[in-house]
Amino acid sequence: MSAGAETPPPPAPPTPEPPVLPPIRQEVVNPADKEAVEWLCGLLAAGQADLYGQDEADLSLLPTLTRTWMVRGEQLKVQAPGTNEKRSVSAAIDLTEGTLLWRTDDRRCADQFCATLHSCVGRSTGRGRLAVLLVDNAQGHRVGKTGIVRRGLDAHVGQVVLVFLPPYSPDLQPTERLWRQWRPNVTHNHVRDAMVDLQADSDAWLLRMAAKPADTLRIVGRPFIPKPLGKAA
């Protein structure tokens, strides 16, 4: 070997193969379909899928007025803006582990829903799991032969399943319980006069919840423990 020769660099480590996801039987599930629900419960029980409760809430510069404690002799004054301004907050909670994902957009729409779906899929596929989203029948969630949600599902073929709750059944959506705590802490009787400050309050509260998954699970009721149908104790 000549004096000027150098030892060649070691070969680069092989790129890890992406995790293999279980096959999807159907990408949209009706909870009345017992066979489809049993299939999903089997995947969840085997650790092959994550179940998210997904929902939206309005963040409004016009505060929601409600009863509140005040110092005797000092009345809280809540200002009403001359022009209301709104944002939409979309949240998804892993109902087994309590992980909280959220985003705030100018309005509630299919684009916002698909962006939330994308975040759930990214988290779950990185763990080698399917993303299963429990959603309501809002206009921005509906799947057609074309449209924004259809394109969102096509972009994640084999990675996501949507489970649509029965119409007008908010009590079946665990994420609704998150909003019941969010509103008293963010929107009820607030005194913010700028949306940027109100959104910062919302993000700060959600960030605190995201840092404590156990508290998030406590709010939604309890961790979801899936069992295949017919095998429950």
Side-chain angles (χ1 to χ4, degrees), residues 50 93-99 123 127 129 213-214 217 223-224:
D50 295 318
I93 300 173
D94 182 323
L95 299 177
T96 300
E97 299 182 3
T99 298
R123 174 179 180 267
R127 292 150 50 93
R129 302 182 180 189
L217 289 177
F224 175 81

Side-chain angles (χ1 to χ4, degrees), residues 1-224:
M1 180 180 292
S2 65
E6 297 181 358
T7 303
T15 303
E17 293 291 331
V20 178
L21 302 179
I24 286 183
R25 297 183 186 177
Q26 55 195 89
E27 61 185 4
V28 176
V29 168
N30 182 336
D33 185 340
K34 182 177 178 179
E35 183 178 346
V37 171
E38 184 167 8
W39 162 64
L40 285 179
C41 285
L43 292 177
L44 294 165
Q48 295 181 303
D50 295 318
L51 178 64
Y52 300 89
Q54 186 280 330
D55 197 40
E56 297 93 0
D58 288 334
L59 184 66
S60 176
L61 200 55
L62 184 65
T64 49
L65 302 180
T66 187
R67 298 179 296 181
T68 186
W69 291 100
M70 290 174 281
V71 177
R72 183 186 294 272
E74 297 182 13
Q75 185 175 12
L76 176 66
K77 294 182 179 180
V78 180
Q79 298 182 356
T83 302
N84 193 20
E85 189 176 349
K86 288 186 176 182
R87 296 289 185 271
S88 175
V89 184
S90 173
I93 300 173
D94 182 323
L95 299 177
T96 300
E97 299 182 3
T99 298
L100 171 62
L101 308 174
W102 81 93
R103 59 179 294 119
T104 305
D105 296 277
D106 288 343
R107 61 191 181 93
R108 186 181 306 192
C109 60
D111 283 319
Q112 182 186 48
F113 174 65
C114 287
T116 305
L117 182 152
H118 177 76
S119 296
C120 293
V121 170
R123 174 179 180 267
S124 292
T125 55
R127 292 150 50 93
R129 302 182 180 189
L130 298 177
V132 181
L133 274 68
L134 189 66
V135 300
D136 61 26
N137 288 269
Q139 182 68 36
H141 301 168
R142 295 178 185 173
V143 182
K145 294 182 179 179
T146 60
I148 295 172
V149 179
R150 176 73 269 162
R151 293 195 295 272
L153 289 178
D154 289 346
H156 296 293
V157 171
Q159 299 174 329
V160 63
V161 177
L162 301 182
V163 180
F164 282 91
L165 293 169
Y168 309 109
S169 58
D171 289 344
L172 298 180
Q173 173 58 265
T175 305
E176 283 281 355
R177 298 168 197 155
L178 178 76
W179 304 133
R180 295 174 191 172
Q181 298 297 320
W182 173 80
R183 291 186 181 96
N185 285 279
V186 178
T187 69
H188 287 350
N189 301 323
H190 78 75
V191 295
R192 296 299 193 185
D193 57 7
M195 177 54 74
V196 63
D197 297 325
L198 184 60
Q199 183 173 331
D201 292 342
S202 173
D203 287 339
W205 188 85
L206 291 168
L207 187 62
R208 289 196 297 273
M209 294 307 306
K212 298 180 179 181
D215 287 349
T216 303
L217 289 177
R218 176 180 53 81
I219 285 176
V220 300
R222 59 182 178 180
F224 175 81

